Amino acid sequence: MKFAVLVFPGSNCDIDCFKAVEDTIGEQVEYVWHTATDLSSFDAILVPGGFSYGDYLRCGAIATFAP
């Protein structure tokens, strides 16, 4: 399987997602910038979160404008 970890301005936990795939299941994983328009080469797309205590940096608001 090939995994993509989406990265956008202010994203959080993208490194954690990458390492989780790489270190625990040993599958291929790549960071993909939020402006990418073709994700067809990936079997799974991971959208990092990490905003359980609020969106104080407005990362989630910024992400809403990602294509």
Side-chain angles (χ1 to χ4, degrees):
M1 278 187 85
K2 187 174 178 183
F3 289 80
V5 176
L6 295 183
V7 179
F8 51 89
S11 61
N12 188 8
C13 300
D14 42 355
I15 295 171
D16 296 338
C17 288
F18 187 98
K19 287 293 186 184
V21 172
E22 186 178 59
D23 295 347
T24 60
I25 60 175
E27 294 290 343
Q28 186 178 3
V29 59
E30 292 179 24
Y31 292 115
V32 177
W33 190 242
H34 71 100
T35 57
T37 56
D38 182 10
L39 299 174
S40 63
S41 65
F42 298 100
D43 300 303
I45 312 299
L46 301 177
V47 181
F51 309 116
S52 62
Y53 293 103
D55 188 14
Y56 301 112
L57 299 177
R58 303 300 295 150
C59 306
I62 293 169
T64 63
F65 297 107

